[in-house]
Amino acid sequence: MIDADFKPEANNVRPWFHMPLMNFGPRAREPMRGLTSERSVTGPELGLKPGVTIHNYAVGFYNAAGAVTIGQVLGGASPDLAKAQFPQGAMTFKILFSDVTANDFQGSDVLSGAPQWTIRTAAGPQTVRLMQMDVAAVDSRSPTGWVFGTFAFDSNATDTSPWRRLRPVGLSWGNDFGFTPADEQAGKKLTETTISDQAPAYAASHLGWAGRANGPVDNPISGCLSCHSTAQLPSAPITFSNACTTDAQKMLWFRDLKGNQPFGGVDASCNPITSAPPPKPLDFSLQLSVAVQNVVQFGDANPCSPSASIMNLRVEDHPGEHPRIAR
């Protein structure tokens, strides 16, 4: 994909595919590179100057095995969520960019020499630099059925191509249920996560909850797998809120769920709730979750459907599933 400038149609080695139906809604793709907004970061987090906020963007790609599942879910006149299970061999990767400048950091510019893209934001053209890459693959040996990894740009790396100056941060195949910050402070080790000794310093100091694998752009109260385990319809909060005051409550986000198990519902007091009909799991794919929501909530059209018309899965057909929609 480096040689193809990350344009799938220009890749003559193997096919890669974007997630369709992400051109509308609050997290729509920008038109130049197809990036979507990610979590913003405010200093002093990530070594930024206090009060400085940076904006981050990403674009993801699925291999052919993953694309088959996406096509089965989204290829018809309405989404078929029963087919949202990715097969062995499916994998995806996502590259993440930031509009951070050298002057935004308290110290040295950790993205010095990073690849740059120009994208279009609401404020006009914007230069962004590569900070992170996430990878994920289905693996039946994993307690979750997936393995997730993350990489961060290393300005000290000497690879000829700046795209190859990413270094591994960590890898997770489970959520290490029960492992708390107190365990980390006591010197205990995670058993379903490994952290690389090659991680750049800014990334190594920005791991997830209790030291779980997590990328520089990601929320440090979570982890790669725990975020993606919330992929379902209707959507679930991807991290715990301030209402979750105990480790037992927070552990709801660190269960070793399988991709065919929904995360479930959570009320404003951080208590799990049972809803009817039950949420529909989307096998750790937050992008698929966004695409399905765009159909259900915003009437996004599938131009490849047999009727080439607006998908007919309406909010009104699924009462109680979409609490954020005003009726």
Side-chain angles (χ1 to χ4, degrees):
M1 287 295 273
I2 296 173
D3 293 338
D5 194 27
F6 293 88
K7 298 174 182 176
E9 70 275 14
N11 191 325
N12 296 318
V13 178
R14 63 178 56 86
W16 291 96
F17 301 85
H18 292 294
M19 178 65 67
L21 297 166
M22 292 183 65
N23 294 328
F24 296 90
R27 299 181 65 184
R29 297 187 186 277
E30 57 82 31
M32 296 182 71
R33 287 285 188 168
L35 273 63
T36 56
S37 295
E38 293 283 320
R39 173 179 177 263
S40 297
V41 178
T42 299
E45 186 179 339
L46 212 59
L48 298 169
K49 293 176 180 177
V52 169
T53 297
I54 62 173
H55 302 94
N56 306 298
Y57 308 87
V59 60
F61 304 87
Y62 287 78
N63 71 349
V68 168
T69 295
I70 294 169
Q72 290 173 337
V73 175
L74 297 175
S78 62
D80 187 348
L81 304 188
K83 295 180 178 177
Q85 297 296 305
F86 291 91
Q88 188 81 9
M91 71 165 296
T92 178
F93 77 95
K94 180 172 69 172
I95 45 179
L96 297 95
F97 297 78
S98 179
D99 67 3
V100 66
T101 67
N103 191 51
D104 291 332
F105 292 106
Q106 297 182 48
S108 60
D109 180 9
V110 303
L111 297 188
S112 177
Q116 297 184 5
W117 277 1
T118 298
I119 65 172
R120 182 167 291 278
T121 69
Q126 175 70 56
T127 298
V128 292
R129 296 186 291 170
L130 178 70
M131 180 181 283
Q132 178 178 329
M133 179 174 74
D134 296 337
V135 297
V138 174
D139 193 321
S140 60
R141 299 167 296 176
S142 161
T144 61
W146 283 88
V147 176
F148 274 70
T150 189
F151 295 75
F153 183 80
D154 186 353
S155 62
N156 295 316
T158 58
D159 305 65
T160 302
S161 169
W163 288 101
R164 299 189 182 278
R165 296 176 194 165
L166 292 158
R167 292 295 181 265
V169 176
L171 196 70
S172 291
W173 51 94
N175 273 312
D176 281 282
F177 181 79
F179 193 91
T180 68
D183 293 321
E184 180 187 26
Q185 293 167 9
K188 297 180 181 180
K189 300 297 182 182
L190 294 159
T191 60
E192 296 176 341
T193 294
T194 184
I195 303 301
S196 172
D197 58 9
Q198 297 182 45
Y202 74 97
S205 63
H206 195 269
L207 299 175
W209 196 61
R212 290 169 172 83
N214 206 52
V217 170
D218 302 323
N219 196 322
I221 66 171
S222 188
C224 297
L225 269 173
S226 63
C227 275
H228 283 262
S229 70
T230 65
Q232 65 177 30
L233 183 73
S235 61
I238 63 174
T239 60
F240 54 77
S241 68
N242 291 335
C244 303
T245 57
T246 69
D247 286 343
Q249 289 177 315
K250 296 172 184 178
M251 208 58 65
L252 186 69
W253 276 262
F254 299 97
R255 294 167 290 165
D256 277 343
L257 300 173
K258 292 286 190 179
N260 60 359
Q261 295 175 275
F263 178 86
V266 183
D267 67 17
S269 300
C270 199
N271 299 310
I273 56 175
T274 300
S275 57
K280 298 175 177 62
L282 294 173
D283 200 7
F284 286 78
S285 179
L286 291 174
Q287 282 203 339
L288 184 57
S289 177
V290 170
V292 170
Q293 279 190 303
N294 283 346
V295 174
V296 173
Q297 296 185 11
F298 303 106
D300 201 354
N302 180 3
C304 298
S305 70
S307 61
S309 62
I310 296 295
M311 289 187 173
N312 58 20
L313 182 61
R314 302 175 301 162
V315 172
E316 291 78 6
D317 295 331
H318 299 266
E321 291 191 13
H322 311 282
R324 285 190 263 176
I325 298 230
R327 293 185 173 85

